Amino acid sequence: MAVAGIEIRVFKEHDIPALLEIERECFPPDLAYDRAVFEELSTMSNGVVIVAEVGGRVVGYAAGVAEGSYGHVVSIAVAPSWQGRGIGSLLLEKLEEKLRGLGAACFVLEVAVDNERAIRLYTKRGYRVARVLKGYYGGRDGFLMVKGCLYLNE
């Protein structure tokens, strides 16, 4: 079910506390991003950080980097109490649009092999598994997923 009144907007520095809380809720401490990551991504000329806001409250974010013709989806997270409402899908769609504007023609991302909810989202949005990344998440395997890439020689 979709949420009425979602605003997708560019990240602002005052959003950092909300993003750190979402990180804490969604990721283990060793994988959660800190303030410096969001500050760096938001100041890079090829970086994009957007947030989903409902009623003035930040409930999710998406971050990515345009790397030549590739758009690298760095992270997407939605606060657990807001998951399952289409916010992640909307964030991914808007992130892809912004990365296309920076020259990306196809998209890549990494996801833990056991993150079934995220894998379903990415598959539904046209991503496919390109390869297994052994030990990518501190001993846990990940998938490299791609969308729109004819080949990936990495």
Side-chain angles (χ1 to χ4, degrees), residues 90-142:
L90 184 59
L91 280 165
L92 184 56
E93 176 186 337
K94 297 301 183 186
L95 180 64
E96 289 172 354
E97 286 176 11
K98 293 206 172 282
L99 291 172
R100 269 190 211 93
L102 294 172
C106 70
F107 303 95
V108 298
L109 60 83
E110 301 83 19
V111 61
V113 297
D114 59 355
N115 190 342
E116 295 173 11
R117 179 175 235 159
I119 292 166
R120 276 195 307 274
L121 166 66
Y122 300 140
T123 302
K124 188 165 82 172
R125 300 272 324 148
Y127 288 78
R128 64 177 174 75
V129 173
R131 78 169 74 111
V132 175
L133 304 169
K134 292 287 186 193
Y136 187 81
Y137 291 100
R140 292 172 42 218
D141 292 348

Side-chain angles (χ1 to χ4, degrees), residues 13-126:
E13 190 168 343
H14 70 261
D15 296 324
I16 288 178
L19 299 191
L20 295 177
E21 177 65 18
I22 291 168
E23 284 290 294
R24 188 189 64 71
E25 293 177 332
C26 294
F27 300 105
D30 59 323
L31 298 178
Y33 289 147
D34 62 16
R35 168 183 292 272
V37 172
F38 293 110
E39 289 173 344
E40 181 179 354
L41 284 167
S42 67
T43 58
M44 296 169 63
S45 62
N46 61 334
V48 175
V49 181
I50 56 176
V51 299
E53 192 174 66
V54 178
R57 178 178 175 210
V58 173
V59 298
Y61 78 88
V65 178
E67 300 170 333
S69 63
Y70 290 96
H72 183 189
V73 178
V74 174
S75 186
I76 294 180
V78 175
S81 61
W82 289 91
Q83 291 177 3
R85 303 181 197 199
I87 296 170
S89 186
L90 184 59
L91 280 165
L92 184 56
E93 176 186 337
K94 297 301 183 186
L95 180 64
E96 289 172 354
E97 286 176 11
K98 293 206 172 282
L99 291 172
R100 269 190 211 93
L102 294 172
C106 70
F107 303 95
V108 298
L109 60 83
E110 301 83 19
V111 61
V113 297
D114 59 355
N115 190 342
E116 295 173 11
R117 179 175 235 159
I119 292 166
R120 276 195 307 274
L121 166 66
Y122 300 140
T123 302
K124 188 165 82 172
R125 300 272 324 148

